[in-house]
PDB file of all heavy atoms in Angstrom:
ATOM      1  N   GLN Z1019     182.705  83.252  -6.209  1.00  0.00           N
ATOM      2  CA  GLN Z1019     181.759  84.000  -5.329  1.00  0.00           C
ATOM      3  C   GLN Z1019     182.510  85.190  -4.718  1.00  0.00           C
ATOM      4  O   GLN Z1019     181.975  86.299  -4.660  1.00  0.00           O
ATOM      5  CB  GLN Z1019     181.192  83.106  -4.264  1.00  0.00           C
ATOM      6  CG  GLN Z1019     180.135  83.747  -3.392  1.00  0.00           C
ATOM      7  CD  GLN Z1019     178.841  84.033  -4.157  1.00  0.00           C
ATOM      8  OE1 GLN Z1019     178.589  83.491  -5.203  1.00  0.00           O
ATOM      9  NE2 GLN Z1019     178.057  84.937  -3.623  1.00  0.00           N
ATOM     10  N   ASN Z1020     183.737  84.979  -4.271  1.00  0.00           N
ATOM     11  CA  ASN Z1020     184.548  86.052  -3.708  1.00  0.00           C
ATOM     12  C   ASN Z1020     184.795  87.156  -4.687  1.00  0.00           C
ATOM     13  O   ASN Z1020     184.699  88.338  -4.402  1.00  0.00           O
ATOM     14  CB  ASN Z1020     185.893  85.526  -3.178  1.00  0.00           C
ATOM     15  CG  ASN Z1020     185.768  84.860  -1.819  1.00  0.00           C
ATOM     16  OD1 ASN Z1020     184.778  85.021  -1.117  1.00  0.00           O
ATOM     17  ND2 ASN Z1020     186.762  84.083  -1.469  1.00  0.00           N
ATOM     18  N   SER Z1036     180.905 108.758  -5.348  1.00  0.00           N
ATOM     19  CA  SER Z1036     180.611 109.775  -6.326  1.00  0.00           C
ATOM     20  C   SER Z1036     179.233 110.397  -6.139  1.00  0.00           C
ATOM     21  O   SER Z1036     178.800 111.205  -6.964  1.00  0.00           O
ATOM     22  CB  SER Z1036     180.756 109.169  -7.735  1.00  0.00           C
ATOM     23  OG  SER Z1036     179.788 108.145  -7.935  1.00  0.00           O
ATOM     24  N   ASP Z1077     173.070 108.224  17.889  1.00  0.00           N
ATOM     25  CA  ASP Z1077     173.279 106.816  17.648  1.00  0.00           C
ATOM     26  C   ASP Z1077     173.398 106.035  18.946  1.00  0.00           C
ATOM     27  O   ASP Z1077     173.504 106.617  19.998  1.00  0.00           O
ATOM     28  CB  ASP Z1077     174.545 106.642  16.796  1.00  0.00           C
ATOM     29  CG  ASP Z1077     174.521 105.392  15.933  1.00  0.00           C
ATOM     30  OD1 ASP Z1077     173.630 104.561  16.127  1.00  0.00           O
ATOM     31  OD2 ASP Z1077     175.374 105.274  15.047  1.00  0.00           O
ATOM     32  N   MET Z1084     180.347  99.702  23.490  1.00  0.00           N
ATOM     33  CA  MET Z1084     181.148 100.886  23.785  1.00  0.00           C
ATOM     34  C   MET Z1084     181.526 100.883  25.264  1.00  0.00           C
ATOM     35  O   MET Z1084     180.679 100.955  26.133  1.00  0.00           O
ATOM     36  CB  MET Z1084     180.375 102.171  23.447  1.00  0.00           C
ATOM     37  CG  MET Z1084     181.089 103.443  23.638  1.00  0.00           C
ATOM     38  SD  MET Z1084     179.983 104.854  23.361  1.00  0.00           S
ATOM     39  CE  MET Z1084     181.141 106.074  22.784  1.00  0.00           C
ATOM     40  N   ILE Z1094     184.859 112.622  21.015  1.00  0.00           N
ATOM     41  CA  ILE Z1094     185.297 113.705  20.130  1.00  0.00           C
ATOM     42  C   ILE Z1094     186.142 114.722  20.900  1.00  0.00           C
ATOM     43  O   ILE Z1094     187.126 115.238  20.367  1.00  0.00           O
ATOM     44  CB  ILE Z1094     184.095 114.366  19.361  1.00  0.00           C
ATOM     45  CG1 ILE Z1094     184.561 115.092  18.092  1.00  0.00           C
ATOM     46  CG2 ILE Z1094     183.358 115.377  20.233  1.00  0.00           C
ATOM     47  CD1 ILE Z1094     184.918 114.156  16.990  1.00  0.00           C
ATOM     48  N   ILE Z1108     197.764 117.946  10.160  1.00  0.00           N
ATOM     49  CA  ILE Z1108     196.668 118.895  10.079  1.00  0.00           C
ATOM     50  C   ILE Z1108     195.393 118.058  10.329  1.00  0.00           C
ATOM     51  O   ILE Z1108     195.233 117.007   9.686  1.00  0.00           O
ATOM     52  CB  ILE Z1108     196.601 119.610   8.719  1.00  0.00           C
ATOM     53  CG1 ILE Z1108     197.822 120.535   8.556  1.00  0.00           C
ATOM     54  CG2 ILE Z1108     195.302 120.398   8.568  1.00  0.00           C
ATOM     55  CD1 ILE Z1108     197.934 121.173   7.203  1.00  0.00           C
ATOM     56  N   GLU Z1117     173.602 115.416  10.620  1.00  0.00           N
ATOM     57  CA  GLU Z1117     173.353 116.236  11.842  1.00  0.00           C
ATOM     58  C   GLU Z1117     172.043 117.010  11.725  1.00  0.00           C
ATOM     59  O   GLU Z1117     171.227 116.998  12.664  1.00  0.00           O
ATOM     60  CB  GLU Z1117     174.488 117.228  12.051  1.00  0.00           C
ATOM     61  CG  GLU Z1117     175.645 116.686  12.787  1.00  0.00           C
ATOM     62  CD  GLU Z1117     176.646 117.764  13.138  1.00  0.00           C
ATOM     63  OE1 GLU Z1117     176.554 118.917  12.621  1.00  0.00           O
ATOM     64  OE2 GLU Z1117     177.531 117.491  13.935  1.00  0.00           O
ATOM     65  N   ASP Z1118     171.844 117.700  10.667  1.00  0.00           N
ATOM     66  CA  ASP Z1118     170.599 118.523  10.509  1.00  0.00           C
ATOM     67  C   ASP Z1118     169.382 117.634  10.332  1.00  0.00           C
ATOM     68  O   ASP Z1118     168.312 117.916  10.844  1.00  0.00           O
ATOM     69  CB  ASP Z1118     170.734 119.484   9.327  1.00  0.00           C
ATOM     70  CG  ASP Z1118     171.700 120.591   9.599  1.00  0.00           C
ATOM     71  OD1 ASP Z1118     171.982 120.888  10.800  1.00  0.00           O
ATOM     72  OD2 ASP Z1118     172.218 121.182   8.652  1.00  0.00           O
ATOM     73  N   ASN Z1132     187.255 128.893  17.948  1.00  0.00           N
ATOM     74  CA  ASN Z1132     188.620 129.266  17.555  1.00  0.00           C
ATOM     75  C   ASN Z1132     189.556 128.097  17.796  1.00  0.00           C
ATOM     76  O   ASN Z1132     189.646 127.600  18.918  1.00  0.00           O
ATOM     77  CB  ASN Z1132     189.114 130.497  18.340  1.00  0.00           C
ATOM     78  CG  ASN Z1132     188.233 131.719  18.046  1.00  0.00           C
ATOM     79  OD1 ASN Z1132     187.918 131.945  16.864  1.00  0.00           O
ATOM     80  ND2 ASN Z1132     187.841 132.429  19.058  1.00  0.00           N
ATOM     81  N   ILE Z1137     194.245 122.754  13.158  1.00  0.00           N
ATOM     82  CA  ILE Z1137     192.945 122.111  13.350  1.00  0.00           C
ATOM     83  C   ILE Z1137     191.875 122.946  12.647  1.00  0.00           C
ATOM     84  O   ILE Z1137     191.775 124.159  12.828  1.00  0.00           O
ATOM     85  CB  ILE Z1137     192.613 121.928  14.826  1.00  0.00           C
ATOM     86  CG1 ILE Z1137     193.650 121.044  15.503  1.00  0.00           C
ATOM     87  CG2 ILE Z1137     191.205 121.420  15.030  1.00  0.00           C
ATOM     88  CD1 ILE Z1137     193.432 120.844  16.999  1.00  0.00           C
ATOM     89  N   VAL Z1157     190.167 109.139  11.192  1.00  0.00           N
ATOM     90  CA  VAL Z1157     189.860 108.716  12.553  1.00  0.00           C
ATOM     91  C   VAL Z1157     188.336 108.737  12.650  1.00  0.00           C
ATOM     92  O   VAL Z1157     187.694 109.727  12.312  1.00  0.00           O
ATOM     93  CB  VAL Z1157     190.460 109.670  13.614  1.00  0.00           C
ATOM     94  CG1 VAL Z1157     190.032 109.265  15.019  1.00  0.00           C
ATOM     95  CG2 VAL Z1157     192.000 109.673  13.523  1.00  0.00           C
ATOM     96  N   HIS Z1160     183.144 104.384  14.625  1.00  0.00           N
ATOM     97  CA  HIS Z1160     182.849 103.156  13.841  1.00  0.00           C
ATOM     98  C   HIS Z1160     182.001 103.518  12.623  1.00  0.00           C
ATOM     99  O   HIS Z1160     181.184 102.710  12.211  1.00  0.00           O
ATOM    100  CB  HIS Z1160     182.177 102.097  14.720  1.00  0.00           C
ATOM    101  CG  HIS Z1160     180.919 102.547  15.381  1.00  0.00           C
ATOM    102  ND1 HIS Z1160     180.713 102.393  16.714  1.00  0.00           N
ATOM    103  CD2 HIS Z1160     179.810 103.152  14.906  1.00  0.00           C
ATOM    104  CE1 HIS Z1160     179.551 102.882  17.037  1.00  0.00           C
ATOM    105  NE2 HIS Z1160     178.957 103.330  15.956  1.00  0.00           N
ATOM    106  N   LYS Z1172     193.637 104.138   2.292  1.00  0.00           N
ATOM    107  CA  LYS Z1172     194.052 105.094   3.295  1.00  0.00           C
ATOM    108  C   LYS Z1172     193.907 104.525   4.682  1.00  0.00           C
ATOM    109  O   LYS Z1172     192.925 103.841   4.972  1.00  0.00           O
ATOM    110  CB  LYS Z1172     193.207 106.372   3.126  1.00  0.00           C
ATOM    111  CG  LYS Z1172     193.429 107.022   1.773  1.00  0.00           C
ATOM    112  CD  LYS Z1172     192.848 108.397   1.693  1.00  0.00           C
ATOM    113  CE  LYS Z1172     193.188 108.940   0.296  1.00  0.00           C
ATOM    114  NZ  LYS Z1172     193.087 110.379   0.254  1.00  0.00           N
ATOM    115  N   LEU Z1175     191.930 104.737  11.740  1.00  0.00           N
ATOM    116  CA  LEU Z1175     192.050 104.474  13.182  1.00  0.00           C
ATOM    117  C   LEU Z1175     190.618 104.510  13.757  1.00  0.00           C
ATOM    118  O   LEU Z1175     189.938 105.510  13.601  1.00  0.00           O
ATOM    119  CB  LEU Z1175     192.939 105.473  13.853  1.00  0.00           C
ATOM    120  CG  LEU Z1175     193.019 105.481  15.362  1.00  0.00           C
ATOM    121  CD1 LEU Z1175     193.627 104.144  15.861  1.00  0.00           C
ATOM    122  CD2 LEU Z1175     193.843 106.655  15.891  1.00  0.00           C
ATOM    123  N   ALA Z1177     188.192 104.033  17.326  1.00  0.00           N
ATOM    124  CA  ALA Z1177     188.367 104.269  18.768  1.00  0.00           C
ATOM    125  C   ALA Z1177     187.979 103.084  19.661  1.00  0.00           C
ATOM    126  O   ALA Z1177     188.507 102.912  20.714  1.00  0.00           O
ATOM    127  CB  ALA Z1177     187.552 105.503  19.179  1.00  0.00           C
ATOM    128  N   ASP Z1184     187.419  94.548  14.093  1.00  0.00           N
ATOM    129  CA  ASP Z1184     188.295  93.364  14.117  1.00  0.00           C
ATOM    130  C   ASP Z1184     188.415  92.689  12.748  1.00  0.00           C
ATOM    131  O   ASP Z1184     188.775  91.535  12.655  1.00  0.00           O
ATOM    132  CB  ASP Z1184     187.851  92.397  15.177  1.00  0.00           C
ATOM    133  CG  ASP Z1184     186.440  91.929  14.982  1.00  0.00           C
ATOM    134  OD1 ASP Z1184     185.728  92.409  14.070  1.00  0.00           O
ATOM    135  OD2 ASP Z1184     185.998  91.037  15.746  1.00  0.00           O
ATOM    136  N   LEU Z1201     197.022 108.442  18.615  1.00  0.00           N
ATOM    137  CA  LEU Z1201     196.725 109.758  18.047  1.00  0.00           C
ATOM    138  C   LEU Z1201     197.911 110.721  18.197  1.00  0.00           C
ATOM    139  O   LEU Z1201     198.139 111.575  17.343  1.00  0.00           O
ATOM    140  CB  LEU Z1201     195.514 110.400  18.769  1.00  0.00           C
ATOM    141  CG  LEU Z1201     194.143 109.857  18.418  1.00  0.00           C
ATOM    142  CD1 LEU Z1201     193.095 110.449  19.344  1.00  0.00           C
ATOM    143  CD2 LEU Z1201     193.797 110.099  16.972  1.00  0.00           C
ATOM    144  N   ASP Z1210     200.515  98.731   6.868  1.00  0.00           N
ATOM    145  CA  ASP Z1210     200.416  97.714   5.838  1.00  0.00           C
ATOM    146  C   ASP Z1210     199.036  97.834   5.181  1.00  0.00           C
ATOM    147  O   ASP Z1210     198.033  97.431   5.811  1.00  0.00           O
ATOM    148  CB  ASP Z1210     200.610  96.310   6.427  1.00  0.00           C
ATOM    149  CG  ASP Z1210     200.538  95.205   5.378  1.00  0.00           C
ATOM    150  OD1 ASP Z1210     200.414  95.514   4.166  1.00  0.00           O
ATOM    151  OD2 ASP Z1210     200.622  94.051   5.779  1.00  0.00           O
TER     152      ASP Z1210
END
Side-chain angles (χ1 to χ4, degrees):
Q1019 186 68 19
N1020 280 344
S1036 64
D1077 209 348
M1084 181 185 210
I1094 203 74
I1108 292 174
E1117 275 188 349
D1118 290 338
N1132 297 316
I1137 297 178
V1157 175
H1160 57 232
K1172 297 192 178 200
L1175 172 63
D1184 58 355
L1201 285 173
D1210 181 4

